[in-house]
Amino acid sequence: MKTYLVGGAVRDALLGLPAGDRDWVVVGATQAEMEAQGFRAVGKDFPVFLHPETQEEYALARTERKSGRGYRGFVVDADPSVTLEEDLQRRDFTLNAIARDADGTLVDPYGGARDLEARVLRHVGPAFSEDPLRVLRAARFMARFAPLGFTVAPDTLALMRQMADSGELSTLVPERVWQELRRALGYAQPSAFLRTLHDAGALRHVLPELDALYGVPQRAEFHPEIDTGVHQELVSDMAARLAPGDDVIGFAALTHDLGKALTPADVLPRHLGHEHAGLKPLQALCERLKVPSEHRELATMACREHLNVHRLFELRDSTVHDLLARCDAFRKPARIAQLALVCECDKRGRAGSAEDDYPQGRELVRLHAAACAINARDVARDGLSGPQIGEAVRNARIDAIAQARAASR
């Protein structure tokens, strides 16, 4: 019985990244022997155990054989005779197929350390194609590692294209797609997630609403990058820059322009009404992936309101108030700072605009604060009731917005 540190902990240490969770593989042991040493079995589909003191995960070395469609169609063999090299061979990428012995010696039969040095994401072997989830994992790894100079190996990208064409991606359950997307939005370069899936022909299978943006032109005077798909990549990366690790902001930024894919060809490159047209595909995406309500609500607001926020200085005081009311901003005030940030991501997510100022965001937050200072107690008068109180509060808040604007002039 021998134990090795494996996977991400070894990979990240070689890259000089902060240490995360540590995973271990055990060679030459049985489940009974692990439990006899105090390990607690937690694996459902294969033998994984928690260490009695550290609670770190220890898995028996295993092989996997494809037995059906999808990422669950595998037969697992965790016999004590399975070698470390056989266990590493079933892993997805060479950079995840490196083990470290107790004395620090690396076991690297598939050249993972070499690929780390070359900054290449490469699949271990042909078994990669047996698990469609690995296409999404490849894209997620690129969202994390592209800033370090990583690229996908050409043969790996070709294999991902074959997997996309095979129809296997249709077997992925929505929760797994959302999990990979959500994690990618928390990394430094979400555009690499989108671009990798698009280049592999996989984006149209898992996120067709976003794939449809590629190749759709925009007016060059507002969008020098022209292609809406490229604009979306820039916006997503700006969200990662301005709100690092915040996948709620990231998702709203990702989906704000879905309506542009629905613009009739004879209208292009203009996109009149795209903010309202985008609500239907956004709803479809959220329903399909079972997107949490917090993400869904901010995304809906950003899709519907981003043009209004961009032209905030042109709006009437009453229109500003009604924008805030549509966002339920008086009951959930934190939303407005989030909306302002998403709109800033949209404005700065354009070729040549990354360092632009966005005063509309600050102004929206300031006017919202002025309106929030008014409540029903402040305007209640004898004889007012029900709708009359509501109308009085609305008028007082509009006045507060007007006064705040006048004071800044």
Side-chain angles (χ1 to χ4, degrees):
M1 176 175 171
K2 197 163 183 182
T3 300
Y4 299 86
L5 183 66
V6 293
V10 179
R11 175 199 68 220
D12 291 350
L14 292 174
L15 286 171
L17 299 175
D21 294 337
R22 299 195 303 174
D23 296 313
W24 306 82
V25 66
V26 183
V27 178
T30 65
Q31 178 163 343
E33 289 171 331
M34 295 293 288
E35 291 176 341
Q37 295 188 42
F39 286 84
R40 179 166 61 88
V42 293
K44 230 189 207 176
D45 302 319
F46 46 83
V48 178
F49 308 84
L50 296 183
H51 190 282
E53 296 177 2
T54 67
Q55 298 300 300
E56 292 177 335
E57 288 192 0
Y58 286 67
L60 297 184
R62 67 184 189 271
T63 60
E64 296 172 347
R65 177 172 53 84
K66 186 75 169 173
S67 61
R69 281 173 64 81
Y71 63 95
R72 290 178 171 167
F74 291 90
V75 174
V76 174
D77 178 13
D79 188 85
S81 64
V82 174
T83 66
L84 176 63
E85 288 73 14
E86 288 173 325
D87 179 273
L88 296 176
Q89 187 178 39
R90 69 170 175 79
R91 296 175 184 265
D92 47 12
F93 305 106
T94 59
L95 52 75
N96 291 330
I98 311 171
R100 189 187 294 277
D101 203 342
D103 64 4
T105 302
L106 292 183
V107 181
D108 182 21
Y110 306 106
R114 181 182 63 244
D115 284 339
L116 281 175
E117 184 69 25
R119 299 297 194 256
V120 173
L121 185 69
R122 188 190 313 279
H123 65 288
V124 172
F128 178 90
S129 64
E130 296 176 351
D131 184 354
L133 186 62
R134 289 176 168 178
V135 174
L136 289 179
R137 282 173 57 81
R140 172 167 59 81
F141 275 121
M142 286 304 297
R144 183 182 181 193
F145 293 130
L148 300 180
F150 274 79
T151 60
V152 181
D155 54 342
T156 300
L157 189 61
L159 186 55
M160 291 166 63
R161 289 196 189 102
Q162 293 175 21
M163 295 168 70
D165 292 342
S166 74
E168 275 272 305
L169 296 180
S170 65
T171 65
L172 294 172
V173 298
E175 291 84 356
R176 293 310 300 268
V177 176
W178 169 247
Q179 182 180 11
E180 295 297 319
L181 172 60
R182 186 175 189 173
R183 293 179 70 181
L185 292 173
Y187 289 138
Q189 196 171 325
S191 64
F193 177 85
L194 297 172
R195 176 60 61 175
T196 300
L197 290 179
H198 179 67
D199 289 348
L203 192 61
R204 67 179 185 270
H205 296 289
V206 292
L207 294 169
E209 299 86 356
L210 286 156
D211 186 70
L213 295 176
Y214 285 90
V216 176
Q218 303 166 106
R219 294 171 64 182
E221 63 267 36
F222 300 121
H223 290 277
E225 69 281 358
I226 298 178
D227 190 308
T228 307
V230 175
H231 168 57
Q232 184 53 65
E233 293 179 5
L234 294 171
V235 173
S236 290
D237 285 353
M238 185 57 64
R241 171 182 165 183
L242 298 182
D246 191 331
D247 52 76
V248 177
I249 297 292
F251 181 71
L254 178 73
T255 55
H256 79 286
D257 259 354
L258 296 183
K260 288 184 176 178
L262 304 176
T263 301
D266 61 338
V267 179
L268 294 174
R270 302 175 72 195
H271 292 278
L272 300 174
H274 74 273
E275 67 276 21
H276 298 293
L279 295 175
K280 186 173 181 180
L282 173 59
Q283 181 181 7
L285 188 156
C286 289
E287 291 292 335
R288 188 177 69 253
L289 298 189
K290 299 178 173 57
V291 174
S293 59
E294 181 183 11
H295 297 71
R296 182 184 308 214
E297 290 168 5
L298 181 62
T300 299
M301 285 186 287
C303 180
R304 185 185 65 226
E305 306 292 353
H306 65 277
L307 290 189
N308 287 327
V309 178
H310 291 338
R311 57 174 182 255
L312 183 71
F313 294 112
E314 304 166 23
L315 301 184
R316 293 192 298 267
D317 301 329
S318 59
T319 306
V320 173
H321 172 276
D322 293 347
L323 185 161
L324 297 172
R326 282 195 302 274
C327 295
D328 201 12
F330 301 115
R331 288 196 316 120
K332 300 179 179 179
R335 285 181 167 184
I336 294 305
Q338 290 179 309
L339 175 62
L341 187 54
V342 174
C343 294
E344 181 174 355
C345 295
D346 175 35
K347 202 67 171 181
R348 295 173 62 182
R350 309 177 189 208
S353 297
E355 304 307 322
D356 287 359
D357 189 24
Y358 190 66
Q360 295 95 323
R362 296 189 299 275
E363 181 72 353
L364 181 66
V365 171
R366 193 177 71 85
L367 297 181
H368 173 237
C372 280
I374 304 297
N375 58 56
R377 292 189 303 274
D378 298 327
V379 298
R381 299 193 302 273
D382 291 341
L384 290 183
S385 64
Q388 294 175 318
I389 294 178
E391 185 63 21
V393 171
R394 179 178 184 273
N395 291 335
R397 284 173 172 165
I398 293 171
D399 287 343
I401 290 170
Q403 292 173 23
R405 282 178 146 176
S408 66
R409 293 191 182 109

